[in-house]
Amino acid sequence: PLLLVSLLCSSGLLSAQDESGNITIQDEKDEYRFVKGDRTNPVWIRQDMNTVYYCNSYRTNLTVAEFYSDKVQINDVDIRVNGDKVRGFTPRDEYYSVDGIFFSDSRVNYFTLPLEKKGTTSTVRYQKTYLDPRYFTNIFFQEPYAIDKKTVTLVIPSWMKAEIKEYNFKGFSINFFFNDTGAAEIYTYTL
């Protein structure tokens, strides 16, 4: 199978959209691993996303949301505040709608992340599986908050052919590292 994956940067999208400047993403690691699927969809993509949020000045609650569908599953969600697991944590899960109107079969998994005081760090980890590679076409570097560091890793096994296209990288300090282990090609982009 051949898959085309686009990596996208945009100057307007990478700038902090949080006007208060109270929240910073200290570190985000986003790994995509191509694995063998089932008879219907022979290739799955496993995503492991780990984001560390930092509170710069005053207490706030941050809504974290992750979208998915019947072709994309959320396997696990974990949050920690200052390294400790949050008690009573239960993410909400429902169909995505605006003003009570459903636009598609998209679903959203969301929760409120407490940033209790200046210096608080909260870590969010999502594990997702794309059951059909046709729904995995773009990877974006932008986030709604200022980013100190973001790493995107693609692990493509030797039995898979994938073409990676980089768009709008000019003007950004993005380091690229390639490693061919024989069993897999590993592409790592660090912003």
Side-chain angles (χ1 to χ4, degrees), residues 58-83:
Y58 53 87
R59 173 181 169 66
T60 190
N61 289 318
L62 170 68
T63 300
V64 176
E66 192 65 30
F67 294 90
Y68 69 103
S69 67
D70 61 337
K71 302 295 182 188
V72 181
Q73 296 176 342
I74 292 181
N75 306 96
D76 191 29
V77 182
D78 181 59
I79 68 167
R80 298 184 184 266
V81 175
N82 292 326

Side-chain angles (χ1 to χ4, degrees), residues 123-177:
T123 304
V124 176
R125 185 180 55 80
Y126 268 103
Q127 289 182 328
K128 292 170 57 173
T129 302
Y130 293 79
L131 300 174
D132 188 338
R134 291 178 291 183
Y135 294 90
F136 177 73
T137 56
N138 296 317
I139 299 170
F140 296 93
F141 280 92
Q142 84 273 7
E143 294 295 337
Y145 305 101
I147 304 171
D148 288 341
K149 181 180 179 185
K150 181 167 182 170
T151 304
V152 173
T153 303
L154 295 156
V155 180
I156 303 172
S158 58
W159 52 263
M160 178 76 196
K161 299 266 188 242
E163 185 177 347
I164 299 170
K165 297 283 189 181
E166 300 166 355
Y167 292 102
N168 302 324
F169 275 35
K170 192 172 186 161
F172 294 101
S173 178
I174 298 175
N175 297 316
F176 171 71
F177 179 74

Side-chain angles (χ1 to χ4, degrees), residues 29-56:
K29 293 181 176 107
D30 210 358
E31 180 182 278
Y32 300 90
R33 185 175 295 273
F34 293 74
V35 298
K36 292 191 177 188
D38 59 18
R39 186 172 285 229
T40 306
N41 295 300
V43 177
W44 292 348
I45 295 100
R46 298 267 164 97
Q47 178 186 11
D48 193 0
M49 181 174 43
N50 195 46
T51 307
V52 179
Y53 296 94
Y54 181 79
C55 182
N56 292 312

